Amino acid sequence: MPAHSAFARDQWYVAAWSAEVGRELLGRTVLGEPLALYRTEAGDPVVLADRCVHRRYPLSASGLDGDRVVCGYHGFTYDTTGTCVFVPGQKRVPRTARVSSYPVAELDGMVWVWIGDPELADPDTIPRAPHLVADGWVTVQGMEPIDADYGLLVDNLLDLSHETYLHGGYIGTPEVAETPITTEVDEGAGVVRVSRHMTDAECPPFYARSTGIEGRIQRLQDIEYHAPCLYLLHSRISPTGQDSPAFLTEITYAITPSAPGKVYDFWAVSRNFAVDDAEVTTFLRDFNHTVVMQDVDALNLLQRSLDTEADGYQELSINIDTGGLAARRILAKLAAG
């Protein structure tokens, strides 16, 4: 794959979990664009370019006066549209004193931003993850920045055979790598589906300690990747030889390119069992964070390796890479417009 995958600009990306955006300014970088996020007093999310027009001071390091952002350096003040409404020492505000304001949508506990042509931003095209906020479900979540190309994270999540090796003792067992996959690709819709159904598998600690199942399990993994940003892993666990009781876990990732060679890894684990058990919640949060950090460390290492690779290296791909290769084709097509 190329050193850095091209960005698809006319797409929606997750800039933050809803819980991260409040009355304190938050700085994020999406597709190389520095952003400042906050909520109005009415609770609506706002996304502005994170650079004051005057001396480029980060607005995310500034403050709010009502719904207006007051630059922490010289006091240039912006409304929610990015228009400057006050400059120090004079009555007239220069016509060019404005920063970009980006289309924003809040769905399923995520704040989505559109970096491309604002005329094309249609919130109805955002893929959904309703389990993140649904009644009867409990979710733990976090975000880790990775110093790697976002395409490497897509590859990682679409080929779960690495669970056996990278995440052994956590979520990986021998059966994950041994079980063949089925892959379906809808290039027009930009969706890749990869399924791995294990009828008789070892139960890894992630599920043994959260479900209480003793012994072997039926483990059904069904991935839906909605390019470029949203990844859903529908996981269904039950004792071997029976379909019930079924323990449903929804693993959600938002894959947001930050800058060339940098990606935000938004992760969440949602469950519909033991929803009142605080110990299970804490266990899944801590355990999954450990698993995510294993990916972070591996992808940081992989990117450094690729950055020192001599020209002309020919990548080797096999059956397990079918989903990832399909995703690369779709991402390249989206980036090409």
Side-chain angles (χ1 to χ4, degrees), residues 245-310:
F247 298 89
L248 303 182
T249 310
E250 296 283 352
I251 314 288
T252 307
Y253 283 90
I255 303 162
T256 299
S258 171
K262 293 183 182 295
V263 61
Y264 293 129
D265 181 355
F266 292 92
W267 60 269
V269 178
S270 309
R271 72 183 192 279
N272 72 344
F273 57 90
V275 293
D276 296 321
D277 191 326
E279 276 188 43
V280 171
T281 299
T282 300
F283 165 71
L284 288 176
R285 179 187 293 113
D286 294 347
F287 214 72
N288 203 68
H289 179 254
T290 298
V291 169
V292 169
M293 291 309 298
Q294 290 172 336
D295 281 333
V296 170
D297 292 342
L299 294 180
N300 284 342
L301 187 61
L302 178 55
Q303 185 66 61
R304 289 201 297 273
S305 177
L306 291 173
D307 286 344
T308 58
E309 191 65 62

Side-chain angles (χ1 to χ4, degrees), residues 24-68:
E24 299 264 331
L25 285 142
L26 172 69
R28 286 278 150 84
T29 301
V30 175
L31 306 192
E33 302 281 341
L35 308 176
L37 293 82
Y38 69 99
R39 286 188 192 278
T40 64
E41 290 179 324
D44 299 318
V46 177
V47 182
L48 300 180
D50 191 20
R51 295 288 184 269
C52 178
V53 293
H54 178 229
R55 289 294 180 265
R56 313 307 286 154
Y57 192 79
L59 296 181
S60 60
S62 301
L64 293 174
D65 177 8
D67 289 345
R68 295 172 169 180

Side-chain angles (χ1 to χ4, degrees), residues 70-125:
V70 181
C71 177
Y73 195 15
H74 295 102
F76 278 62
T77 301
Y78 302 89
D79 66 15
T80 58
T81 71
T83 303
C84 185
V85 294
F86 170 81
V87 298
Q90 62 186 60
K91 289 272 194 296
R92 190 183 70 81
V93 176
R95 274 186 309 108
T96 56
R98 59 168 49 246
V99 298
S100 295
S101 173
Y102 295 88
V104 59
E106 188 166 17
L107 288 168
D108 303 326
M110 296 178 282
V111 175
W112 295 78
V113 66
W114 182 278
I115 299 297
D117 181 350
E119 296 294 315
L120 301 177
D122 178 2
D124 290 340
T125 64

Side-chain angles (χ1 to χ4, degrees), residues 216-267:
R216 295 177 71 80
I217 57 171
Q218 174 176 267
R219 184 178 183 184
L220 310 181
Q221 292 180 331
D222 293 289
I223 294 167
E224 279 179 62
Y225 171 56
H226 299 261
C229 190
L230 189 68
Y231 170 99
L232 307 171
L233 168 59
H234 313 295
S235 175
R236 183 184 175 97
I237 304 294
S238 57
T240 293
Q242 57 193 74
D243 291 332
S244 65
F247 298 89
L248 303 182
T249 310
E250 296 283 352
I251 314 288
T252 307
Y253 283 90
I255 303 162
T256 299
S258 171
K262 293 183 182 295
V263 61
Y264 293 129
D265 181 355
F266 292 92
W267 60 269

Side-chain angles (χ1 to χ4, degrees), residues 4-5 35 75 106 122 182 187 193 198 204 223 252 265 298 325 336:
H4 295 132
S5 306
L35 308 176
E106 188 166 17
D122 178 2
T182 60
E187 297 222 9
R193 292 182 171 85
M198 295 158 272
I223 294 167
T252 307
D265 181 355
L325 294 173

